[in-house]
Amino acid sequence: LPRLRALLQRCLLPSGLGVHSPPCGPALAVQVPAFLPPAAHDGGESSAEAPSLWESILWMAVPKKRRTIEVNRCRRRNPNKLIKEKRNIDVCPECGNLKQKHVLCGYCYAKVKAESRLIKMEIRKKEGGPFNAPTVETVVLYDGEKPTEKDEGKRIIERARKRPSWFVQN
Amino acid sequence: GGALARGLLSWARPERWLPSCSLFPLSCIHTSTSLQKTGKWERKNRIVYPPQLPGEPRRPAEIYHCRRDIKYSRDKMWYLAKLIKGMSIDQALAQLEFSDKKGAKVIKEVLLEAQELAVRKHNVEFKSNLHIAESLTGRGRYVKRIRYHAKGMFGIMNIVRCHYFVKLVEGPPPPPEPPRTGFDQAKEYVQQLRNRTLVHTL
């Protein structure tokens, strides 16, 4: 076993964990780990301890042969690894962009999100600070719209543009 | 004296005598790093066919486009290239739009650029009347870097880049070939047996 261990040390120590250098010495100027496996204390250890990493390496799963490119190709190009074609793509009836059947149209969502952001900025300007949200409902009115009698006690947010077609009033 | 010598030297510059690099090949070598050579794929767009005869069927337009040094792995990009091979351009754009891969965004841009090129420069009438004849990936220029591990160990990692090539052809996509059945294979086997001859005999 000490001969095996010496062989292991010669093979593994200079190469280290992933270091790509010839066995004569490290190719790049990086410190090889200063500590050595417990080879110096061989004589001292009379009781066989649990096998350290350097011995259990002998029982690790290791590839026996190089996988040829043909075998690699069979694995990588197997139909279960190829990307499957999606059959759930439709056209959004509102804007005409593509959308997935179970997902909202990306363009319409972005459009609504942009408008909501502007409304929220108006709200923030009106409130002026945190914790100032009123206890009444909010109504958004666009250019040339007057509050009706239904919007009596509600807070009114003005937006200086024409009402978008998708934002239906009431 | 010094000014005269300088003037003489500046007059006697040998490069000025020969504008073409005939006598000084070393100074005029353009390496690929300094001057980007046009790759083979880009040059395929420049071939000019002789005019077609009146009876010949119309040759469909072919558009070659590529993008170089995309920061992505060529093996991962290959899956996307394999997905869109043989599809019409609209179908390919739809598939790529809803794919979650990083390369899908890049390939979509390349396809849109190629479609634009086709309509502007290559006399393609309808931008939807294109299909993808070939789509390939290639290895870009790799750069080696150090990856730091624990305990002072290190590894050398490759910064991986790829090229993507696409060839659009005018016309509807060709119908997919029917898969090879056992009957086809048996017929081919019998044909091979029948093709055998005796050599070096009467």
Side-chain angles (χ1 to χ4, degrees):
Chain A
L1 208 65
R3 226 173 272 165
L4 253 170
R5 180 185 287 216
L7 180 74
L8 263 176
Q9 281 162 22
R10 254 192 295 118
C11 295
L12 295 174
L13 236 195
S15 52
L17 298 159
V19 167
H20 204 46
S21 57
C24 51
L28 300 167
V30 173
Q31 278 285 351
V32 164
F35 73 94
L36 292 172
H41 309 286
D42 254 346
E45 282 173 357
S46 49
S47 59
E49 290 179 357
S52 60
L53 183 68
W54 301 104
E55 289 172 352
S56 65
I57 278 177
L58 296 172
W59 286 275
M60 280 193 179
V62 130
K64 193 71 181 174
K65 279 280 178 194
R66 180 204 157 118
R67 276 164 154 181
T68 57
I69 185 65
E70 294 89 1
V71 166
N72 279 337
R73 278 199 194 118
C74 287
R75 186 185 66 253
R76 288 170 193 162
R77 298 184 183 189
N78 193 25
N80 74 17
K81 293 229 174 162
L82 297 178
I83 306 179
K84 291 174 193 59
E85 192 188 325
K86 292 196 162 112
R87 302 199 153 264
N88 52 358
I89 301 177
D90 265 336
V91 176
C92 170
E94 302 286 325
C95 58
N97 291 75
L98 296 165
K99 73 182 265 298
Q100 281 191 307
K101 285 184 188 155
H102 58 292
V103 179
L104 298 172
C105 166
Y107 185 80
C108 300
Y109 178 64
K111 175 173 74 174
V112 170
K113 209 167 151 181
E115 181 62 29
S116 321
R117 185 176 150 267
L118 296 170
I119 293 174
K120 279 185 213 168
M121 274 173 31
E122 294 280 319
I123 293 177
R124 250 178 263 144
K125 265 196 293 190
K126 198 157 192 186
E127 286 180 2
F131 310 113
N132 291 350
T135 48
V136 292
E137 283 180 31
T138 312
V139 152
V140 182
L141 295 175
Y142 287 89
D143 267 345
E145 282 172 21
K146 301 281 175 304
T148 61
E149 61 281 348
K150 279 205 280 185
D151 314 326
E152 276 306 288
K154 298 184 187 172
R155 158 174 79 153
I156 293 172
I157 303 287
E158 299 282 324
R159 279 277 298 125
R161 56 157 280 185
K162 195 167 76 77
R163 179 166 280 263
S165 54
W166 45 266
F167 195 167
V168 173
Q169 200 168 11
N170 296 335
Chain B
L4 183 64
R6 244 184 289 125
L8 204 68
L9 278 175
S10 68
W11 166 80
R13 255 183 299 147
E15 309 98 75
R16 287 193 64 192
W17 301 342
L18 306 147
S20 63
C21 42
S22 51
L23 271 191
F24 301 97
L26 282 171
S27 60
C28 302
I29 280 178
H30 288 293
T31 58
S32 58
T33 46
S34 55
L35 176 72
Q36 281 298 332
K37 296 190 283 215
T38 47
K40 289 200 275 196
W41 200 260
E42 288 94 334
R43 266 179 268 149
K44 289 195 186 204
N45 265 335
R46 294 196 210 156
I47 54 169
V48 179
Y49 294 100
Q52 284 193 290
L53 304 168
E56 266 185 85
R58 191 185 168 125
R59 187 185 291 119
E62 291 174 349
I63 301 101
Y64 294 88
H65 194 47
C66 67
R67 189 180 282 202
R68 304 278 183 181
D69 285 324
I70 306 165
K71 178 68 196 75
Y72 200 47
S73 156
R74 79 177 142 130
D75 300 318
K76 297 178 194 169
M77 191 71 115
W78 181 83
Y79 287 112
L80 289 159
K82 176 83 183 157
L83 173 71
I84 62 173
K85 221 181 271 194
M87 285 188 182
S88 69
I89 196 160
D90 292 330
Q91 197 186 357
L93 287 168
Q95 294 295 321
L96 292 170
E97 193 172 324
F98 296 106
S99 165
D100 297 321
K101 301 214 163 230
K102 169 172 158 183
K105 200 164 154 191
V106 174
I107 295 186
K108 195 166 159 207
E109 286 169 23
V110 174
L111 283 182
L112 290 168
E113 274 173 28
Q115 200 183 41
E116 189 65 18
L117 264 180
V119 170
R120 269 188 303 130
K121 292 198 192 167
H122 296 264
N123 189 26
V124 164
E125 201 181 339
F126 303 110
K127 68 174 190 177
S128 291
N129 198 24
L130 294 161
H131 70 270
I132 293 159
E134 288 169 19
S135 83
L136 320 158
T137 54
R139 176 191 192 277
R141 240 184 279 171
Y142 287 8
V143 170
K144 295 204 184 167
R145 292 282 180 267
I146 301 183
R147 192 202 185 274
Y148 302 97
H149 291 273
K151 296 185 184 168
M153 304 286 211
F154 65 94
I156 309 180
M157 71 172 177
N158 271 332
I159 303 282
V160 138
R161 292 203 196 100
C162 67
H163 304 312
Y164 176 68
F165 309 99
V166 73
K167 171 179 167 185
L168 298 173
V169 169
E170 201 175 2
E177 352 178 306
R180 263 180 100 202
T181 58
F183 185 65
D184 290 324
Q185 284 177 318
K187 268 203 303 192
E188 270 174 43
Y189 177 62
V190 168
Q191 190 56 41
Q192 270 179 354
L193 292 176
R194 289 199 177 131
N195 288 345
R196 296 177 299 182
T197 52
L198 297 167
V199 290
H200 306 312
T201 54
L202 293 162

